[in-house]
Amino acid sequence: ASGALAYQHRMEILSNNIANTNTVGFKQDKTQFQAYYASALKNSTPQTVANTNASQAEDFWFKLTSHTDHSSGPLRKTGNRFDLAIRGNGFFCVETPDGIQYTRRGDFGIDVNGNLVTSEGWPVLGEGGEIPVESQADFTDKDGHEIVVHGDGSVEVDGNTVGKLRIVEFPDPQQLVKAGNTNFIVGPSNTAESEATGYRISQGMIELSNVDAVRMMTELIETLRGFESYQKVIRSIDEVNSLAIKEVGKA
């Protein structure tokens, strides 16, 4: 039962990866099993039918852990002047209703005030706050202004610098926690953000998901077969127990 639960959890992770194959900036999760030899458990407290219940099943797993793969996804050229991609390490900073969050998703746009925002309408932060790229009067002529985002993240409108993207990095990205919408928040054991170095911003491009769909499908099939194997074992044990009960009753 504990093995089946572990495989079920792995199936959920793989299914979520596959569902986000086409999500811009999505980072896949990977699972890892750690096997334990019986000798390593010899000093553990013996479990009997009287004190073993479903809530304790997790204690008997060979340990299953998951982590986020922060490797870069492939870049795709869109030609949209508001689409941005980070080459190298770093995250965009986004002001959400729940505070500042971090993302690699760069399919941006502008809001009614002409500020750079995410697809959810949340402001993309620069070093000085929100980044104004258009005025409300310019909305009728979308091609009336030249908007250039340089490799260092500085933003120019008609040759005038209006801001610089706030690109940050973390000592250990594995400690970041997924917050939904391809965003991350700082985990309890992570240190504070720092200004990213060694990155370049590419305008007119987006970073795609780093999910390998073919590999994920292969792993999902493998996991499904493993789950079915555990189910067969459980059924066999149930049948043996049922037969034993019947035979004892006849005796």
Side-chain angles (χ1 to χ4, degrees):
S2 64
L5 288 172
Y7 269 72
Q8 178 182 344
H9 181 47
R10 187 184 182 195
M11 279 195 294
E12 292 171 353
I13 292 175
L14 293 173
S15 298
N16 184 62
N17 287 341
I18 293 173
N20 286 280
T21 300
N22 296 318
T23 301
V24 178
F26 178 80
K27 299 303 177 186
Q28 66 177 334
D29 291 316
K30 292 185 175 181
T31 57
Q32 180 177 352
F33 289 94
Q34 181 175 352
Y36 290 95
Y37 290 102
S39 58
L41 303 177
K42 63 182 180 181
N43 295 324
S44 61
T45 304
Q47 301 293 328
T48 65
V49 176
N51 62 10
T52 300
N53 53 57
S55 66
Q56 293 171 310
E58 193 170 310
D59 296 334
F60 298 95
W61 291 7
F62 32 83
K63 190 175 182 181
L64 172 67
T65 59
S66 63
H67 65 276
T68 302
D69 176 9
H70 285 281
S71 62
S72 299
L75 302 186
R76 185 180 70 188
K77 186 174 182 179
T78 65
N80 186 332
R81 58 184 174 169
F82 299 121
D83 285 344
L84 305 174
I86 301 176
R87 294 180 183 269
N89 297 327
F91 296 86
F92 297 108
C93 296
V94 178
E95 183 66 54
T96 75
D98 298 319
I100 296 178
Q101 296 181 0
Y102 310 93
T103 186
R104 296 274 296 192
R105 182 172 183 170
D107 53 341
F108 300 138
I110 54 175
D111 63 9
V112 295
N113 297 315
N115 295 321
L116 193 67
V117 295
T118 66
S119 56
E120 295 84 12
W122 299 333
V124 179
L125 297 179
E127 294 182 347
E130 297 183 17
I131 303 176
V133 292
E134 296 270 16
S135 68
Q136 192 167 3
D138 298 326
F139 288 176
T140 57
D141 183 11
K142 294 297 183 184
D143 298 321
H145 291 271
E146 182 182 14
I147 300 173
V148 178
V149 181
H150 295 282
D152 64 350
S154 58
V155 182
E156 289 185 359
V157 178
D158 292 337
N160 299 315
T161 301
V162 296
K164 183 178 180 181
L165 291 166
R166 181 178 166 188
I167 309 296
V168 301
E169 61 184 0
F170 297 88
D172 184 9
Q174 292 299 333
Q175 299 301 321
L176 293 174
V177 178
K178 285 188 173 182
N181 297 308
T182 70
N183 290 352
F184 294 87
I185 57 176
V186 176
S189 59
N190 208 331
T191 56
E193 65 186 52
S194 61
E195 183 178 354
T197 59
Y199 70 88
R200 300 294 293 173
I201 301 296
S202 294
Q203 186 178 14
M205 304 186 75
I206 54 174
E207 180 181 348
L208 303 178
S209 166
N210 66 353
V211 174
D212 184 337
V214 175
R215 180 176 180 179
M216 287 298 105
M217 287 299 298
T218 303
E219 288 190 24
L220 186 62
I221 293 172
E222 173 196 345
T223 303
L224 180 59
R225 289 176 177 172
F227 181 76
E228 290 174 345
S229 297
Y230 279 111
Q231 283 185 313
K232 291 178 182 179
V233 172
I234 293 172
R235 292 194 193 100
S236 298
I237 294 174
D238 284 343
E239 290 172 0
V240 170
N241 290 337
S242 177
L243 181 62
I245 293 172
K246 289 179 181 179
E247 293 300 323
V248 170
K250 289 181 181 179

